[in-house]
Amino acid sequence: MDHVFIIAEMSANHCGDINLAKKIIQKAKEIGADAIKIQTYTADTLTIDCDKDDFKVTNPNSLWFGETHYSLYTKASTPWEWQKELKKYADEIGIEFFSTPFDKTAVDFLEDMEVQRYKIASFEAVDIPLIEYTASKGKPMIISVGISSKEEIWEAVNACKRVGNNDITLLKCTSSYPAPLEDMNILTIPDMIKEFGVKVGLSDHSMVVETVVSAVALGAKVIEKHFTLDRALGGADSGFSLNLQEFKEMVEAVRRTEKVLGNVTYEVNSVNRELARSLYVVEDIKKGEIFTEKNIRSIRPNYGLHTRYYPAILGKKATQDLERGTALAFEHIEGNIQ
């Protein structure tokens, strides 16, 4: 990737309205996202319809506290019958459309749609058979690792490599919704790059742009962020999604950060170099007169000899008359100082 790849995650923010889904895709394109991502699952491919506590959201801090998993996934899913139409629309307006599959049937469905890449969600990053099957399709793999130990991350990476897929991007992720800033630990990104030897990015659930800017500065090559046109529209993920203006500002901040980072270079700015110091005659000097600390100095601008020659010039004689303000040159100095 030549630049940071920015993914607008639609998730459940379409609120069950295909026209709203298309509007989200359109706006994602307009504000500079590289791709729009959805999720391909049904409640039945993720869980079972069961009221036991095991199948309820029990975290009191969760946006979905008290709901059954089945009920939540039923509301949040993107209907499969929409997805080909949404991809066709995205293709027409020039933004990449891809998805997160949650089982083999979803992978097969997305293969028929000819998506260009796949994303594995944090909670599926421990599903090694799913990762192997998805990676076997030969498309770039993006894997969020919000709940994975280092050993489990290695298992996911190796699962891709076992089936001959080495195009892997791991996303640092804090699986809280929204994510507290003190839990982000963005400094993990350069360590992940070193540890796993693959591309690394950020799946961000915080609500501030500094998180993303920090990640890019530390080497993130992919940014994934939930996107809604307006949090007031609702949707299961709206509470930790950026709205239209916020997402636009985030994209602009990423692009500015890329410019600031630039490339590794020691090239000198020749214009500003003219303002550097060099050696000048600061008092009139007659031919044969000795150079001293009084009649030559290191001053701005930079048209005279380099200051490194100053000690060697002191005590030498002038080869000609020199006016005050003359840029000192080798031919003005008797003897060899080079």
Side-chain angles (χ1 to χ4, degrees):
M1 299 174 189
D2 294 332
H3 69 282
V4 174
F5 190 73
I6 298 177
I7 303 166
E9 166 65 83
M10 185 191 307
S11 190
N13 290 328
H14 51 68
C15 302
D17 181 346
I18 190 171
N19 292 317
L20 178 57
K22 288 183 177 180
K23 189 72 175 291
I24 290 172
I25 295 170
Q26 175 196 348
K27 291 300 180 182
K29 166 66 176 178
E30 288 178 6
I31 62 178
D34 295 293
I36 187 82
K37 191 184 78 65
I38 62 166
Q39 299 178 5
T40 304
Y41 65 84
T42 68
D44 291 301
T45 63
L46 278 182
T47 189
I48 59 173
D49 189 1
C50 181
D51 289 333
K52 290 185 176 182
D53 287 345
D54 283 359
F55 297 90
K56 291 181 179 179
V57 179
T58 56
N59 180 356
N61 297 317
S62 171
L63 297 172
W64 313 296
F65 176 64
E67 283 205 62
T68 67
H69 294 171
Y70 193 89
S71 170
L72 173 62
Y73 301 145
T74 298
K75 290 187 298 184
S77 64
T78 301
W80 289 29
E81 59 268 24
W82 291 6
Q83 295 189 22
K84 289 184 180 179
E85 184 176 345
L86 294 179
K87 183 177 185 297
K88 182 172 181 282
Y89 177 69
D91 290 345
E92 288 171 354
I93 67 171
I95 185 171
E96 184 181 335
F97 178 98
F98 73 107
S99 184
T100 298
F102 289 81
D103 75 327
K104 288 184 177 181
T105 65
V107 176
D108 294 340
F109 177 75
L110 293 168
E111 276 294 287
D112 287 341
M113 287 171 54
E114 299 182 345
V115 296
Q116 297 179 40
R117 72 190 74 235
Y118 287 105
K119 160 74 189 299
I120 301 295
S122 284
F123 297 100
E124 277 61 46
V126 296
D127 188 339
I128 301 305
L130 174 61
I131 293 172
E132 281 191 352
Y133 186 73
T134 309
S136 72
K137 304 306 176 182
K139 308 285 179 62
M141 293 288 289
I142 301 174
I143 306 174
S144 280
V145 293
I147 62 156
S148 300
S149 66
K150 183 183 285 189
E151 292 73 22
E152 287 170 329
I153 297 172
W154 269 119
E155 284 187 272
V157 168
N158 289 331
C160 294
K161 291 182 175 181
R162 269 197 303 275
V163 293
N165 193 327
N166 295 305
D167 193 340
I168 305 161
T169 301
L170 299 174
L171 299 187
K172 172 74 178 73
C173 180
T174 301
S175 295
S176 301
Y177 309 92
L181 296 185
E182 60 271 20
D183 292 346
M184 295 304 299
N185 297 313
I186 299 300
L187 282 173
T188 309
I189 287 174
D191 190 75
M192 289 172 67
I193 296 170
K194 180 180 178 181
E195 172 72 18
F196 300 104
V198 299
K199 297 184 289 291
V200 175
L202 176 70
S203 179
D204 181 32
H205 302 127
S206 76
M207 300 299 288
V208 298
V209 72
E210 288 84 356
T211 309
V212 169
V213 168
S214 300
V216 172
L218 289 171
K221 297 302 182 186
V222 173
I223 296 294
E224 179 189 57
K225 193 85 170 175
H226 282 71
F227 174 51
T228 181
L229 299 186
D230 186 340
R231 282 188 288 275
L233 292 171
D237 299 333
S238 62
F240 54 91
S241 298
L242 295 189
N243 64 27
L244 184 62
Q245 183 59 32
E246 291 165 340
F247 202 98
K248 181 175 183 289
E249 290 172 359
M250 182 201 75
V251 171
E252 291 170 350
V254 169
R255 300 307 176 213
R256 287 195 301 270
T257 303
E258 288 178 304
K259 288 182 180 179
V260 170
L261 291 172
N263 301 298
V264 176
T265 178
Y266 296 95
E267 183 179 349
V268 174
N269 184 317
S270 58
V271 174
N272 290 336
R273 179 71 181 184
E274 294 175 0
L275 299 178
R277 286 177 175 251
S278 66
L279 299 181
Y280 268 80
V281 174
V282 294
E283 289 184 352
D284 290 344
I285 298 174
K286 296 294 184 182
K287 180 179 178 180
E289 189 175 341
I290 291 174
F291 292 110
T292 69
E293 293 182 354
K294 186 179 178 184
N295 59 24
I296 63 169
R297 283 175 52 200
S298 167
I299 60 172
R300 296 182 183 185
N302 185 44
Y303 299 110
L305 287 175
H306 197 286
T307 61
R308 70 170 67 94
Y309 300 113
Y310 183 69
I313 295 170
L314 292 176
K316 299 236 180 241
K317 293 180 180 180
T319 60
Q320 57 189 274
D321 291 348
L322 298 170
E323 289 185 359
R324 182 176 183 270
T326 300
L328 205 57
F330 288 123
E331 60 264 26
H332 299 152
I333 304 154
E334 191 176 89
N336 183 18
I337 64 164
Q338 297 186 53

